[in-house]
Amino acid sequence: MDVKEFYYDLPEELIAQDPLENRSASRLMVLDKSSGNIKHQIFSEITEFLQPGDCLVINNTKVIPARLYGSREDTNAKIELLLLKRKTDNIWETLVKPGKKAKIGTKIIFGDGLLKGEIIDIAEEGNRLIRFAYDGIFEEILDKLGQMPLPPYITHPLTDKNRYQTVYAKYDGSAAAPTAGLHFTPELLQKIKEMGVAIAEVTLHVGLGTFRPVKENDILKHHMHSEFFQIDETAADIINAAKENGNRVIAVGTTSTRTLEAAADENGFLSAKSGWTEIFIYPGYTFKVIDGLITNFHLPESTLLMLVSALAQKEHVLNAYEEAIRKRYRFFSFGDAMLII
């Protein structure tokens, strides 16, 4: 399967640079996965497409302020760091810029010495393992020194850190937001619950691997990076009950989708589980758990666009994207949403 099959041409001005003042005021494209029919709505109207008994699955991961700016101890040269995965209490796998200045043994100072790091190893794809030294609590220091790791296509500064966080974020660990969830407000979630829709919370800490471009022409040669997930017994019971009763399971975001599909047994049922997943979903995949998906509009030739195309047929999805461009939808992390049912 050729990566070029997932290309579309997006005008740069349609890349959303700022979140809307009201989270649920974004536009919502509703795509019928069987027919390809499209409806245009506002996100707060999503309740019109949910039914009592449905189960909505949300990813309660929390984005950490993972971008750090420091300088080499010996030359004072500037270095930028992005925290990717915590390996032990004080050792992290990181992305370092510029990589040429980041040899093993390099020492880096952050925030006038509030935090210090030393590169101790080189991991796959040139990522660096860094051992940090500090006095106090790492999370508090990170909150002081770190910045939210906005994607490179967002060039405007973020004035409120919480706008790159879902309202239900609980557990620190992500290097990027599960952006489909950014459209929900507490009021909208409450309204959905009152309709008789069950809400199950799972956790997948989003790494940059999900968003890395597919560099292989043949997508089957692309390697997904592993991400940590966790499903507790309560969430498994809620999702299993919906399936047993013949009700729909609708994932909020590609991260929730990957968590469910990676953890389910061959019949689509779940048990309490945690671990690492490298699941790569592309057209031809048979979904075991989900019946519907709430998602944003994704980058051309990305694994996220491939996942969406597996659920709703590539032709339907690319046609919907063309329609979104014609209708001037806002794209990517702070952009508008799509509901596939």
Side-chain angles (χ1 to χ4, degrees), residues 9-149:
D9 190 26
L10 179 70
E12 192 175 334
E13 67 268 18
L14 295 185
I15 300 172
Q17 292 295 325
D18 302 288
L20 295 182
E21 189 174 338
N22 177 357
R23 289 175 182 260
S24 62
S26 57
R27 294 166 76 184
L28 175 69
M29 177 182 282
V30 182
L31 175 64
D32 185 309
K33 64 183 180 183
S34 300
S35 68
N37 288 341
I38 291 168
K39 291 180 181 175
H40 301 285
Q41 308 281 152
I42 300 299
F43 193 84
S44 57
E45 297 169 345
I46 199 166
T47 50
E48 295 176 21
F49 301 92
L50 300 176
Q51 301 162 3
D54 282 347
C55 176
L56 212 58
V57 183
I58 59 178
N59 180 8
N60 60 17
T61 188
K62 192 172 186 180
V63 185
I64 60 172
R67 183 165 276 124
L68 287 163
Y69 295 94
S71 55
R72 282 181 57 141
E73 189 178 61
D74 52 355
T75 66
N76 214 31
K78 300 300 179 192
I79 285 190
E80 179 184 336
L81 218 68
L82 188 64
L83 304 179
L84 298 177
K85 280 183 200 167
R86 193 173 208 157
K87 295 293 193 177
T88 67
D89 277 355
N90 298 327
I91 296 175
W92 284 76
E93 182 177 339
T94 67
L95 188 64
V96 180
K97 290 182 186 178
K100 288 179 182 175
K101 295 183 180 177
K103 294 180 169 59
I104 293 174
T106 299
K107 293 182 179 178
I108 309 168
I109 307 290
F110 306 93
D112 298 324
L114 193 60
L115 181 67
K116 296 179 180 179
E118 180 180 356
I119 297 172
I120 59 171
D121 204 356
I122 299 176
E124 63 175 326
E125 296 201 357
N127 293 342
R128 268 47 174 187
L129 293 186
I130 295 187
R131 181 190 291 117
F132 287 106
Y134 50 88
D135 291 323
I137 298 169
F138 182 78
E139 287 75 15
E140 290 180 0
I141 293 169
L142 189 61
D143 199 47
K144 233 179 242 183
L145 302 180
Q147 295 184 17
M148 291 305 258

Side-chain angles (χ1 to χ4, degrees), residues 274-328:
S274 64
W276 296 83
T277 178
E278 296 178 354
I279 190 170
F280 180 17
I281 297 173
Y282 50 85
Y285 179 85
T286 301
F287 287 87
K288 297 176 288 188
V289 185
I290 74 160
D291 303 291
L293 171 65
I294 298 167
T295 190
N296 279 18
F297 291 89
H298 303 294
L299 275 74
E301 299 182 349
S302 64
T303 61
L304 307 179
L305 182 55
M306 292 167 194
L307 183 153
V308 172
S309 299
L311 182 64
Q313 299 178 43
K314 183 181 65 179
E315 293 74 18
H316 290 340
V317 170
L318 292 177
N319 177 60
Y321 273 53
E322 284 177 17
E323 174 79 354
I325 291 167
R326 281 195 299 271
K327 297 280 190 181
R328 312 292 290 174

Side-chain angles (χ1 to χ4, degrees), residues 19 22-24 26 43 162-168 177-185 252 296 332-335:
N22 177 357
R23 289 175 182 260
S24 62
S26 57
F43 193 84
N162 287 325
R163 292 313 308 272
Y164 194 58
Q165 217 60 283
T166 63
V167 296
Y168 46 76
T179 55
L182 295 179
H183 305 281
F184 286 95
T185 62
V252 177
N296 279 18
F332 305 162
S333 295
F334 286 143

